[in-house]
Structures are given as structure tokens and as C-alpha cells.
Amino acid sequence: MRETSGWRGLLRRRASASSETQVTIVSRSPAQKKTFRPARWIGRWMLSDFFILGLAAVYFLVLCGIDPRMAGGRNIANLASSAWPLLALVLGQMFVLITGGIDLSQTSIMALTSVLGGILMTSSVQPEIFAETPLWGVLLTEEGGILAGLPGGAPIGLLAMVAAGAAVGLLNGLAVAKLRMPPFLVTLLSMMFFSGLALYLTQSENIRRLPDAWIALGKGQVGSVPLALLLVAGLALAAHVLLQHTVLGRWLYAVGKNPRAARISGIPVDRVVIAAYAFSGLMAAIASILYSARLEGGRPTLGEDKLLDIIGAAVIGGISLFGGKGRVSSAVCGVAFFVLLANSLDMMSHWYKLPYFTVNVVKGSVILLAALLDVGRTWLRMRGGGSPRREKRLPADAETRPSTGPDGLRRAARVMAGESSLRPPRRDDPPAAAPSMARDPSSPAVLEFRGTGKSYFGVPVLRGIDLSLARGEILGLVGENGAGKTTLMNILGGVARPDEGTMRLDGEIYSPRGPHDARRAGVAFIHQELNLFGNLSIADNLFIDGFPRRAGLLIDRRAARRRAAALLGELGLDLDPDMRLDRLAPGEQQLVEVARALGQGAGLIIFDEPTTSLTSRETAKLFDVIRKLRDERKAVIYISHVLDDVLRLADRVAVLRDGALVDVAPREQLTAGRLISCMVGREISDLHPRRSTRPSPDVVLEVSDLGREGAVEDIGFALRRGEVLGLFGLMGSGRTELARLIFGLDARDSGSVRVRGEPLGRLDPRRAVRKGLALVTENRRDEGLLPDASASDNLALAALERFARRGPGGFVNRSALARAVEGTARALQIRSRDLRRQPVQTLSGGNQQKVVIGKWLLASPSVFLLDEPTRGIDVGARYEVYSIINRLAEKGAGVLFISSEIEELIGMCDRILVLHEGRMRAELPRDAFDPERILAAAFGWKEER
Amino acid sequence: MRTALRKLFPLVMRHSSWILLAVIIAAFSLHSSRFFEWESALNIAKQASYLGIVATGMTLVLLTAGIDLSVGSNMYLSAVVGGWLLSEAGAPLPAALAGCLGVGLLFGLFNAVAVTRLGILPFVVTLATLVAGRGLGLWITQSQPVSFPDAVLEIGSARLFGALPLPIAIFALVAMAAHVFLTRTQTGRQLYAVGRDLEAARRAGIPTRRIRALAYVACGGLAALGGFIAVAQYGNVNAGFGKNCELSAITAAVLGGTSLFGGTGSVLPGTVLGVILIQAVTTGLVSARIDLYLQDLILPAIIFAIVLLDSIRARLRGPSRTLRRRA
Amino acid sequence: MAALGAILLLAPASCARRPAEETGLAVLFSFQDLETEFWVAAHRVITTALKEKGIQVIEQNAHQDANRQLEQVRAAISQDVDGIIIIPQDGESALTIIGEANEAGIPIAVFNRPPADRSRPAVVVVADNARIAEQAVEHLADEAARLGRKARPLILVGDLGDPNSIDRRKGFYRVVDRRRDMFHDPVEVPTKWDANTALSNLEAALQADPDVDLIFTSSDFMYPQIRAVLEPLGRWKKKGEPGHVILGGLDGDLGACRLMKEGYVDATGVQDLFFEAESVLSGLLEAIEKGEKTPERWTEDPGFALTQANIAQRELDMWGCRLASQAGR
């Protein structure tokens, strides 16, 4: 039984075991059980943090088998003494890597501090050598450095070295954080500069006669324990405590995982980044002290070739170059392996007389192998193998962008087909009966699904879908998140492959092997996330995989422009095809995507949630276009959560629930209520829950005369305790900008913001958070969440300091924090398999949104700014979000509820403000709510006020 | 007055690189009148040409949001093989050149496979090949210098139409070809798309693997060509040949406006300007007889200033909210 | 997995040769990157001589990292080698490494670069780079004196982190400063020991100061670059031809030998490679034989300047010429 043994069997079994479904688990005979064990054991080992350390240990034992002298005291001492300084370097580098940066300048910091320490502390120098140095007579004389004779000179000098290292790191950090320059470049230039400076200061000379206290650090022992070990072990311990137990540590990870979300959560991102670089510099100085002590001299060329070792050890230890990942144990493992590797290569040249040039070839190969291993481990982790403690990573939610992690991660994600969260089917659901096909017999089906099914890890995501679509028809497709809509469309669009069933296109069997195949067959898939490239022109985007060409090679730009203009014209867009795409409004971009599909001659076009970022005017325009497509006898599938839109547009509507088709009916027979009850499987009587309290007269947020050029002008309003204040405006009206201005994310030109009577003062999200503001942005993936962190890490983000004694450096009271986080998660009914382990990006959209709101609850703010809190989440989750908003208000918070959906504002708010082109056009109390008046004001019609 | 300044400022910022080049030339010319001569300009271009060719390849890789740290080792390894073909195997010059370029392409292919097929980070892959590649080269040469016959030297010192040094001509050709490739071919445009958003590019039906692989292979080939051009000027390769070349190439590309995050940048004027800028500064520092130690401090400082200006410029252009609203 | 370890071990094991059994002795030879011909030749002479004597040579490259070299020496000590030869990165690290070997009681020899002082015993064979450079430049200065005008000297400076280039620069300046009256300010050209940098910086320097009369290169490996720059200017001329640039260097490699014979180069500072190698080997082997644990021998290679004046007599004292004649035979 091949399938049940080895990796595949392991993965399959684990997957089914850890899901909560009733999928039959293959009964295992004892014999089979035995065959599982080694694979399982190795799998668990491979995923553990100490995998590399184990590998090093095995390797070491093998080497000792070859030559017991490997384990002799001398060699152990040698191994150890080369490990300590390297460990210091890698620890420092790790802090920078965690923030998503890189520090190439550590080597030059070593050189500089070594020289500096030498100059300060040497007891004498020869004038004929050093008279030309720029410091002669200033810091350096014949009697040595200025600290030479002083009592306590050595400690002061060593501290000065450390301070200098931290200072250079600080400069790097400032350039990266404040000047926003790429870390690679900043630290490359500082590497060039400071190593040049080190040579300049001593005019290339090494400095000898260091104080004994310094040299003792490299060679001395306390009892039989080397001083260097004590020093570095202490630092490693400190680094561990800092990373795992303090606010700053948590902040570091948050900054590395998502700097924008971190900033909005009130984390002083710039300062955290600067601190990381300063720490890296500091650790480089420590390494410099140890290395210099070993060689008994200050050296301007110290560590010139160490960069490879540092990065190599970090990579081998599994510290990600993309940020957000890395522990002290990774650094220790990486250094242990790397030092052992170097040592073993030296040894092998003794045993096998390896020629010296082979050493580098082997070293390079090992780094590659280690990286490959890491890719394998990531893949394994994604597949859910290994430790049973570790929660299986579910495939990314349909709405989440594929992780921006390392390529390996992306590849793995791709294996998972980037599909929606797996909701286990409810047992009490009867298997969906094949729905009746209301089909016009005169127009043959252009597309036909028959028995299409798909499972991940044995959990069915789609079951027996029978569905057809005719030319000249618009099919609406609705269902809750996770119902399988996107999976079905991915199968159609060639992104995923079905496990069972057939598809026919124009009567022919259709089984696309990739998006490319689908496109060639005339199927265009317009994803919710546009597949457009902001860095290219409109024409480039339209023809990116099929330019008109001259002589088969060069792009015929004139023809491209002409055809682009024609395509755009068809959709009523009057744009210059050479315009860069990122200059277009979102609605225009959406239409460009449609134009691309048309340009490719698509006969079947899938729209997945196309209106989430569109204004109603743009939506109307898009609908006109879609209807026009229908009139041109193209087939359209339209997926949306906005049921009114679906009912307005579609000829037929198909409803999916839990992977099965539960209803297909012509529009005429449907109402929103029926759709909802179909989707949810239960009745939702009222879309908007009632609130039990009334707003109190106390003002919690007062905005006056707020303005920013090009965004908003002259905005003033007051928000009261317990009030839900709606803010309505079309796309581009400045509603999002207003929220950002209030929160201090963008600089304002005029006006003031007061929270509970206190002016907000200097612009800084951190300050806003401290004063009691909370911002839920419209873009929760990019600005709200750390996608690959767990729900509980996300929930803790904004309130970390409240759970720490004494500021950012203080220890986090972890148990209190965990209790609070769990309480919040329970209160908000956040559904996650494992709050502490399951990455939040694998939760459904609604649960993600609850996490973003929950993050703020822990910080107990008095004002919530909610920007489109219900965007892209399904009906059931919406209701829950509404309930949460009500509860916030009931507890006395003021809520500014920004939305582009009039219905939810009318259903939820006490007052509604309307923005148009950055100005306040109307303020309506509850009894004056009227969709038409609101819209009129939003369009700027001057009948109000 | 203030409004005039306000208008002038963005204008200055937009062309900051050119203005800086002018300032640098002016400054050095004041110091030494000979700096401002045709021959001097030609020298700068000639000296920039080998690095320019390498940096052009690097630009392609950077555009895909990758990086290639191995170009220096690639230059060494391919030049060594070229030299071995010429002097030991007695191959004719074109065959040796083809062999040299072939090694470069293979080297690039190895990087490409490791990056696109095995899914290892470009930084790590090329760091490993940086180490291993030179080791391999040294294995072949046993650290001995490799000499090239005079026929190669003739190429290096040849002048096209008696005026234009051949290295410049080849550099110009490479830069033009890369420019046309990037702006006028489908694959070139797709390179930008891949660098901007790999996942979206894949969904848009772009063969992302092939495109990324192409960048690494081309970078490998161009590194070999650049190495050959350098060797052709003086006819021998010693063990340190091409060391740290990757850093110069990356710096030049970034100086020319290519982003390390992919999707933004150009060969013309971008990288070419960057290479010339660096070369002009180095040449200027040498001509002005600045203290050797200070030269190593001034060059990074100038590059820092240029990149800083560039990032300020980028932020000025920043999110064009105003523009969008008016559109 | 463990497979990784297995691969690591098996790959080299498969190409392993049995150590030479004749003497049973093993010597560590740890050097810095072999980037110039002098080092390559020294490496070859030393390793072949040892192998011929039936001694196992363990070669290790420290890649210009003194710390790495220290680790390599320590590893060798734990492997109970019988002797150690190092080419240290610099005098200060040499001293530390000697201390390490002394402590372990293993005889150590230092090749070419002198330890910072003589406080720790070792077999030391060194050349004074500054002194040899001085001799060569002295000859060049004599040549320049014949021009009958103030001459403009130029020096190609090596890597500023490398003590050899610093010493050679010192030697150059000793002569120039001593004979200030006959020289203009010297032009310094940085090369970082990189062929391409040398070429472009030299070209730039000559563009700015076309009237250079004398070029001293800190290493002979840069003659091809000098030629590439001078030839188009019409100044790559033999001694005696009009427009000849007085040319000298240091190392004494094959290229320098050829160019001396052809008459392009006026003088080159030569270290006596064979003498140095032999002294190191004999000193170390003698110590091993006698069972000395911390032998102390200090030999200096005075070096000399091979000039157009003495080339006829001393040609074969120059290692480059000797290697060339051996290759020719």
C-alpha cells in the first residue's frame, strides 16, 4: 500500500485525524501502525525548532566515529571559542532580520570598534608607525590611548566600544526607518564607509598592547568555563527574554510581519526598527571585543569575510530573510551547525587531504542544501505533517492574498490552490439533490459541470456540483464564505483541478491545466484581487500575455494603443492607454480588467466580488457593461455578497452551501430573503440588531476644521458616548482619508482633534491609541492583521503595553494577557481551531474582521473609527459584526461607522454624516434617514442645507 | 518667490540624478581642467562598460524582485574557462568566447533552477553559488593566473571606426538591446509584471517561472560577457578577478533607480546612468588626488546622498491622492 | 536529515587518498588567499618540497581572516600535527598564533610576513617589504635623475587592509621623501588589489596627469594593466626609446621577468622565494627531527632589486625568471 506509507500516507492520515469531520479514518492494522512510526517521528523532528541542532549532533557523532579527537578537549575548546563571537553576531543580525531588514554593516562595525577600542586602551604605540594617523596627539600618543593608565580604563573603553557599535547601528536604523531607504543599500553603504573609516583612523595599522582585562574576555576562564561563553550565553538569554517575554520583543515580530498593521496598532514602528539595528551594532561590537581579544589586537580589517558566516548561519538556523521569524534557539542551532561545518571541513582536510579550494565548494553546497531543507520543512508544515501539537495550516481563505512569505511558502500555498477555508459539512444536511435546471432549450449550454467535486485532505470542499450555463446568460453565484464558490470558479479558471466529475465547454470535455489553458479556451476569471500591474501602462496591462507584435518579436505599440483605445471605448472609458495603471481609480481598474478579458476574446467571464471597491456610479457602469456582454451572447458568472446586486443583474442564481449546490432558480422566483435562508440554512429575521441604549450627551471625539489638501476640507463634528455615527460618501469623497487624518496616520493641514476634551496634538498613531482611539481600516489584510500570526497574537497587538510592567522593555504578564485574549475571543465568538497557533489568514473573512475589532477591545478605547467593517464578509458574519458594534456603543464607546452601503448605515446609526468631495454635505438625525436624501447629498446635489 | 521655489523644487527632484551628475562633473572639472575633456569622458565610459554590462544583467534580475550575488564568481569562472580554451585547448577565439559565455549562461541557469524550481530564496541561492563558484574556478586554475593571447587584447583596445573604443560599443549595444527587450517585447513587459506581483502575474497567465529563469540566465550570460570585456583590456585573469563586483553592480542599478523590491527600474537611462555616475565619481576622486583613505569614505557618502535624494523624490511623488481625485 | 551528514562525509571520502606513509609526519600549511603569483609560487614550492620528503601537507586557506587562521591552527593542533607553517595575515595575528603553537608544543614556522615582535619563539623567515621596495625605487630614482628635470612619480597602491601594500608604499615614500628635490608630488592610485580597479584608476590618473615619468607598482601582477593604459598613449616603450616611462615593481614574477628582459621594466624588487621556502622548510624539519617544541630561528631575506644593470648576473636569483627557465627547459 504505497499510499498509506511514507510521506503521503502520513500527511493524509494526519490531515483527517486533526479535522473535526467524520470522514472515515482508515482503520489501521498493527503492522501498518509500525510502518507509520519512523516517518512520523522524522516528520515531527523535522518540524521542531531544534531540528538543525539535532542534525548537528548526528553529524558530530558521525565525525567522532571517524576520529575521536573531534571530541577531544582541544577541539571542543576550539569549536566553542569560534562559536561565541559568531553567535553574538547572528543574534544581532537576527533582530534586524526579524524586522524584515538586513544588516551588511556588522563586519565594518567590528572593524571600527576594534580599532576604536585599541586606540583608547593600548598602553603604548610606536610613533614612527602611528604618527600619520589622524588621531595622533588627540587620542593617541606615545604613551598609548587616553584610557590606558586610568583606573577602570578598560571597562570604560569596552563600554565605549559597545556604545560606538550601537551608535553606528542607530545610524543605520535611522536611515532605514526615518529616511525610508532600503536596508540592503543603507547597510551596504555603511559597510563601505565604516570599514574605510577604520582603515583611515589607524592608517591600516593594527594596534597591540591591549589591557589584560580585555584579553581575558577572549581567553580567560571562570573556573573551567570560558568568560566569553558566560558573556555570550548571558546575552543570548537576555535576547531570548527580550524577544519572548517583553513588549519590545512582540513588537519586533509584529513589525516584521506587517509594518503597516503594526503602526496602526499603535506600535512605534520606527523606534522598533531603529532599536533592532542598534542592537545589531551592539552585538557586532561585542563580537569585535571577543575576536580582538583572541588576536590580542585592534584590527581595522577585523571580520572582513565574516558576512557569509553570519548570513549562512542565520539561514541554516531557519531565520527568515523576509522578517517576522526567528528565535534565539534558531540562532544557536544555526551557529552550532555552521561552526561545526567549518571545523569539520578543516578536519576533513586532515583526514582526506582535501585540496583547499574544495572547501568553498562544499560550504556553498551545504548552504544550498540547508535552504532546500528549509523549503521542504515549510512545505511539510503547510501540508500539516509533523507535530500533532501544531495545527494544520489551512489553505488561505479565498479573500486573503497569497502569503508574501518566502518562495517556498508561496509554492506551498499554490499547492493548496489558494482556496477558501474548509468548513466541515454539517452532518444533518441532507445530500443536496440535483437541482432542477431552468434552462432555455433554445440556447445550448456553453458550460456544464457534471458531478464536480474537490476535497483537501479528504475533506470535501465541493460535492457533486451539476450546473450549466448558457450563452447570453448571467448566472449569479452566492453563498457564505467557505461555501465553495471560489473553489468552483478556480476549477473553472484552471487555478485548481477537480478530484471528480467532468466539465464541458461548448460540448467538449474541458480540463484546464492552468490559468493559461482556461484563457485559451475563452474563460476569463476576474478575481476580486485584480490581476493588474500598477507599474505598467493600461495598454501593457491589457495585452500582458498577448501583445500585437511586429515580425513576431517587437511589440507593435501603435497597434496596441489603437486596440486598447478601442477596447476601452467599448466600455465607455476615455483614458489614455499609455497612462500608468496606478493612476486610475479602482473602478476604472476594474473595467480595465474587463477590457482585458474582452481583448482576449473571452466567451465566458467570471466576476468574483467585482464591486467591493467600486462606488455606486462605477457599479452601475460595470453592470451596464455586463449586460452588454450578455447581449453580445457571452456567458457571465457573477459572484457577490451584495444580494440586491445579484438579483438586479443575474438571469439565474445558484446558491452554494457547504460545498453543495442547494438551489438554482431564475431571478423572478427569488427574493433576498429566500437567498439568505438558502445560504445560511436558517432564517435571519432582521439584518440589523437593535441596540438597548441611547447615546449620552458627553462628547468623546470632537473634530473641528480638519483639512488636508486634496483630501478633506473644513470638517467638524462631535461624537458622543454610546453613539454610532455613520459616515457616508462615495469612493473618493474623502471618507477614508478623514479617518486616517483623525487617527494621525496622515499629516493634516489644519484643524484639531480632541478626545474626551483633550487635544490630540502631535500626529502619531501611537499617541492616538494612547488617547483612546481605535482604527479599523477598510483594508484588513494590509493594515489590520499580521496574516501569518495567530489570532491571539493579533488580538494582543494593540494592548501589549497594558500587560507589561514598566513600558516597552518590561515583561509581558503572559498569563493575564492570555486570559484577556481568550475572554475577548469568546466574547466575539471568534472561531478558530486553535487561537494560539492557527494563522489568522486561514480564518474566514468575518472571523478576521472580528479579530481586528477584538484587537482594539483589549486596549479599551473610547472611540472606534470603523472603515467599511463589513466589506467582503458574508451575511452571517455581518450580523455578528453589527452586534459587536452595538455592544461597543452600549458600553459607552463612540463609534464612527464609515460605509458605502446606505442600508447598513440606516439600520445601525444614530446619525449619519455625508461627505462629498472632501466636504461635509449633510448631517441627518435618525428620524430623517432617507436613502435618497443621503445619496443626493453624496452626489453633491445642493438641496440640503 | 516662494511659489517659484515650490515649482522648482519638484523639477529639481525629478531630475536629481542628472543634476548630480552635472554637479559632480562641474566640481571635478573645477579641480582639474582635464576632467572636462572628450577623452576623459570616453575613458569614463570605457571603464564603466564592463561593469555596465554586468549591471544590466543585474537590473533584469532586480526587476523580478530577485538578486544575484554570484556575478563576480561567475565572471571569474567563465573567464577562466575562456582562457583555458584559448591557451590550453587551442580553440579559436570565437569558440573560446562562446565557451566563456556558455559557462556564464550555465551558471545563470543553475541559479535559475534553484530559484524557480526548488523555490529557494534568490539571496541564499546566489550567496551559495558566490562561494562555490569561485571555489570551482580556483579548483581549475589552482589559483594560477590565466593569460590570454594578444588577439584578445586587440579586441579590448580596438576602436570602432577608429574612434569609439570597442568596449563602449559593446556596452551600448547591450544596453540598447536590454532597453528594447524591456520596453518593446512582451517578455520584457512581463518581467515588470512578475516583479510587481508574482501571484497576480501567475494568475494572469504569464509563465512566471520561465520569465524569472530568463532573468537569471541572462544575468549569467551578461556577467560572463562583462568579464570577458574586462579581461580583453589587459589580457590576464588572476584569482581575485571579479571579487565584490556584485556589490558594485547592485549599487549601480539602484543608483539608476531600480528598486530592490522589483518591478521598477530601467536600463536606459537608469542603470547606464548609475554606472557612469559611480565611475565619474571614482575617476574624479583619483584625478583630484584625494587622500586614498578619504576616497573610500567619500564614495559611499556621495552614493548615500544620491540615494537619499532619490527616496525623497519618490516620497514626493508618493501616493498621488490629489491626482486620483481629480481624474 | 542524517542523509545530509552522510553525503557530506561520503563525498570527500570517495576521493580520499591514503596519507603518505613514508615518514608519518604531517604538517599544517595555512595561508591567506593565493591571489598573486608570488603566493601561488610559494605555495607550490613549499607543498611540493614537503610531499617529496614524504610528509603529509594539510593545506588550508584562511581567506584573509586572521580569526579563521587561528581556528585552523587550533584544529590542526587537536589533530596532533607535527609542525605548522603559516603565512599570517599580519604580524600581530602571527604572534597570537605562534603563542598558540608554543603552548601546545608544536614547532611553528612563519613564512614571509614578520611577527610583530620576537617575544615568542618560532622559525621565522621574512622579507622586509618596505626595504625591498626601497631598493627597487632607489634604482628607479637613479634613472629618473638622468631625465635632468623634476620627475613626476606614480604609485599603484594595493589594498589598504593588506600589510604588504602598506609596507611597499612606505618603501616608495622613503625614497621619494629622501630625494624630494628631484620629484614632484607623487600620484597615488588605489587598486584594492583588483585588476579592473587598477586599470580604470590608472587610466584616470594618467588622464589627469599625463606627465608621469615613473610608475611603481606595488605588485608585479599589475603590469598588464599598466601596459593596457600606456600603450594607447604611445608610452609603452622600452628603456632607451623616447617616451619610455620608468617602470618598476615588486614581487619578481614571470611576467616581470619577461618584461625586464624585453626592456620595458627598469627594476623589480625581488624576494628570494626559493631561499625563503628552503629556510622555512629546513628550519621546521630540523626542529621536528630534533624534537624541539619551540624552535627559534629568525632568518631575513634581504631581497634585492633586479635592475637593467644587474639582470645579466642575477637573472636566476629571481624566482620568476628561474620558473620561466625551468618551464622553458
Side-chain angles (χ1 to χ4, degrees), chain C residues 15 17 21 53 55 72 91 104 131 136 142 165 180 185 217 305:
Chain C
C15 61
R17 290 157 284 171
E21 297 293 348
K53 292 193 162 87
I55 295 169
Q72 288 174 344
R131 174 85 200 90
D142 291 342
S165 49
R180 201 75 245 184
D185 277 349
T217 168

Side-chain angles (χ1 to χ4, degrees), chain A residues 3-311:
Chain A
E3 283 170 2
T4 48
S5 62
W7 295 117
R8 200 172 288 217
L10 166 81
L11 296 172
R12 192 158 291 181
R13 205 188 51 77
R14 179 153 322 290
S16 49
S18 61
S19 68
E20 303 153 21
T21 59
Q22 292 300 306
V23 178
T24 8
I25 294 170
V26 187
S27 65
R28 278 165 274 135
S29 69
Q32 271 174 317
K33 223 174 197 170
K34 231 172 198 170
T35 59
F36 280 140
R37 277 221 170 117
R40 180 180 174 183
W41 183 79
I42 291 174
R44 202 185 297 176
W45 181 47
M46 268 191 79
L47 290 183
S48 89
D49 286 343
F50 294 95
F51 168 64
I52 293 291
L53 202 62
L55 203 63
V58 170
Y59 183 49
F60 183 70
L61 288 177
V62 173
L63 291 172
C64 289
I66 295 175
D67 186 340
R69 278 178 295 192
M70 263 310 280
R74 273 188 178 279
N75 197 49
I76 296 289
N78 185 23
L79 268 172
S81 78
S82 43
W84 310 134
L86 186 60
L87 179 58
L89 287 167
V90 174
L91 282 174
Q93 184 72 249
M94 183 176 75
F95 272 59
V96 172
L97 290 177
I98 286 176
T99 66
I102 192 166
D103 189 355
L104 307 180
S105 72
Q106 278 188 315
T107 55
S108 68
I109 294 176
M110 279 161 67
L112 185 69
T113 50
S114 176
V115 160
L116 186 74
I119 288 175
L120 290 175
M121 289 182 268
T122 181
S123 52
S124 73
V125 293
Q126 293 159 282
E128 67 267 25
I129 293 179
F130 285 95
E132 277 173 37
T133 64
L135 298 175
W136 185 252
V138 186
L139 288 177
L140 198 62
T141 60
E142 241 168 284
E143 281 75 49
I146 50 171
L147 293 177
L150 290 179
I156 296 174
L158 293 175
L159 278 180
M161 287 172 73
V162 172
V168 174
L170 202 71
L171 288 179
N172 287 333
L174 278 172
V176 170
K178 296 289 182 192
L179 305 178
R180 310 243 178 278
M181 294 168 71
F184 187 91
L185 196 71
V186 167
T187 55
L188 175 66
L189 291 175
S190 94
M191 170 175 89
M192 291 161 69
F193 186 85
F194 289 106
S195 57
L197 186 63
L199 284 169
Y200 171 65
L201 287 181
T202 64
Q203 301 282 307
S204 305
E205 298 294 342
N206 295 336
I207 298 174
R208 293 180 53 220
R209 303 203 178 78
L210 307 182
D212 295 338
W214 183 357
I215 291 180
L217 279 178
K219 301 191 157 178
Q221 294 192 331
V222 180
S224 57
V225 185
L227 260 175
L229 160 67
L230 289 179
L231 180 64
V232 177
L235 283 168
L237 195 68
H240 176 78
V241 170
L242 186 68
L243 278 181
Q244 305 304 330
H245 294 270
T246 68
V247 178
L248 182 63
R250 300 265 190 135
W251 281 353
L252 276 164
Y253 288 110
V255 168
K257 284 179 175 173
N258 187 346
R260 291 170 70 188
R263 179 154 182 259
I264 289 173
S265 305
I267 296 175
V269 173
D270 288 356
R271 265 182 280 162
V272 170
V273 168
I274 292 170
Y277 282 90
F279 183 75
S280 171
L282 184 147
M283 292 305 260
I286 303 266
S288 164
I289 290 175
L290 296 180
Y291 276 132
S292 311
R294 268 191 354 166
L295 292 172
E296 302 168 44
R299 312 164 56 80
T301 55
L302 188 73
E304 234 165 36
D305 259 20
K306 279 277 177 267
L307 192 60
L308 170 73
D309 297 20
I310 300 169
I311 306 272

Side-chain angles (χ1 to χ4, degrees), chain B residues 87-313:
Chain B
S87 50
E88 302 289 319
L93 189 56
L97 182 57
C100 168
L101 295 183
V103 171
L105 291 170
L106 277 178
F107 201 115
L109 187 66
F110 183 89
N111 287 337
V113 168
V115 168
T116 62
R117 289 279 156 184
L118 304 181
I120 310 175
L121 286 183
F123 191 95
V124 179
V125 168
T126 56
L127 188 70
T129 50
L130 158 80
V131 179
R134 189 164 293 271
L136 212 59
L138 291 175
W139 202 336
I140 297 173
T141 61
Q142 308 276 315
S143 295
Q144 305 269 14
V146 179
S147 307
F148 285 68
D150 285 352
V152 175
L153 268 176
E154 278 159 28
I155 298 181
S157 52
R159 291 197 166 210
L160 214 57
F161 313 119
L164 191 67
L166 195 61
I168 301 184
I170 295 177
F171 176 33
L173 203 70
V174 166
M176 281 303 297
H179 180 70
V180 168
F181 167 72
L182 284 178
T183 56
R184 302 297 296 274
T185 70
Q186 177 165 321
T187 318
R189 300 318 285 167
Q190 290 180 344
L191 205 69
Y192 282 90
V194 167
R196 172 72 168 217
D197 188 339
L198 186 65
E199 208 46 46
R202 201 183 64 86
R203 283 195 309 242
I206 296 173
T208 52
R209 266 189 196 170
R210 239 183 298 153
I211 300 275
R212 292 172 77 205
L214 180 77
Y216 287 93
V217 173
C219 182
L222 287 175
L225 181 63
F228 191 83
I229 298 293
V231 170
Q233 294 180 43
Y234 46 78
N236 81 338
V237 171
N238 62 334
F241 180 72
K243 242 188 189 176
N244 293 334
C245 196
E246 62 281 351
L247 297 183
S248 319
I250 291 170
T251 316
V254 172
L255 213 49
T258 299
S259 159
L260 287 168
F261 303 113
T264 324
S266 65
V267 169
L268 264 182
T271 302
V272 173
L273 185 67
V275 174
I276 303 261
L277 253 174
I278 291 185
Q279 192 57 51
V281 174
T282 343
T283 301
L285 288 173
V286 173
S287 324
R289 293 210 225 147
I290 308 283
D291 179 285
L292 293 194
Y293 288 98
L294 292 181
Q295 287 191 19
D296 286 349
L297 300 183
I298 294 173
L299 182 66
I302 290 183
I303 296 175
F304 183 86
I306 296 174
V307 178
L308 179 61
L309 276 178
D310 208 55
S311 78
I312 293 174
R313 181 182 65 167

Side-chain angles (χ1 to χ4, degrees), chain A residues 691 694-695 720 723-725 905-913 923-934 944:
Chain A
R691 194 166 350 126
R694 311 279 311 152
R720 288 190 285 273
E723 184 182 35
V724 177
L725 175 60
L905 290 184
I906 290 179
M908 291 294 300
C909 297
D910 299 302
R911 256 188 315 153
I912 294 179
L913 307 171
E923 179 183 340
L924 304 170
R926 185 162 194 116
D927 48 17
F929 284 177
D930 171 9
E932 280 176 30
R933 276 179 74 186
I934 296 173
E944 283 309 315

Side-chain angles (χ1 to χ4, degrees), chain A residues 7 42 45-46 51 55 58-59 62-63 66-67 69-70 74-75 77-78 81-82 128-129 132 199 203-209 218-219 290-292 294-297 299 301-306 309 337 341-343 345-356 359-360 362-363 366 369-370 373, chain C residues 1-9 12-13 15-20 28 31 33-34 43 51 56-68 70-81 89-93 95-97 100 103-105 116-117 119-120 159-162 166-167 169-170:
Chain A
W7 295 117
I42 291 174
W45 181 47
M46 268 191 79
F51 168 64
L55 203 63
V58 170
Y59 183 49
V62 173
L63 291 172
I66 295 175
D67 186 340
R69 278 178 295 192
M70 263 310 280
R74 273 188 178 279
N75 197 49
N78 185 23
S81 78
S82 43
E128 67 267 25
I129 293 179
E132 277 173 37
L199 284 169
Q203 301 282 307
S204 305
E205 298 294 342
N206 295 336
I207 298 174
R208 293 180 53 220
R209 303 203 178 78
K219 301 191 157 178
L290 296 180
Y291 276 132
S292 311
R294 268 191 354 166
L295 292 172
E296 302 168 44
R299 312 164 56 80
T301 55
L302 188 73
E304 234 165 36
D305 259 20
K306 279 277 177 267
D309 297 20
F337 190 87
L341 175 71
N343 181 262
L345 287 173
D346 286 350
M347 289 300 180
M348 278 182 215
S349 56
H350 286 264
W351 304 332
Y352 307 123
K353 295 208 288 178
L354 277 188
Y356 64 92
V359 169
N360 273 356
V362 176
K363 217 174 187 180
V366 170
L369 271 178
L373 212 61
Chain C
M1 284 183 295
L4 178 72
I7 292 167
L8 265 176
L9 287 170
C15 61
R17 290 157 284 171
R18 293 308 310 154
L28 170 76
F31 44 83
D33 279 334
L34 305 177
H43 168 257
K51 279 177 191 159
Q56 183 191 342
V57 197
I58 297 131
E59 301 165 53
Q60 291 189 338
N61 187 344
H63 292 292
Q64 298 174 42
D65 180 346
N67 269 294
R68 186 87 197 84
L70 181 64
E71 284 157 23
Q72 288 174 344
V73 168
R74 285 180 175 171
I77 291 173
S78 80
Q79 286 288 310
D80 304 323
V81 290
Q89 176 67 13
D90 47 58
E92 288 75 13
S93 64
L95 211 55
T96 309
I97 292 171
E100 201 77 23
E103 209 175 293
D117 59 45
S119 59
R120 290 169 185 168
D159 191 288
L160 294 175
D162 178 0
I166 302 302
D167 286 347
R169 179 165 170 245
K170 272 186 201 150

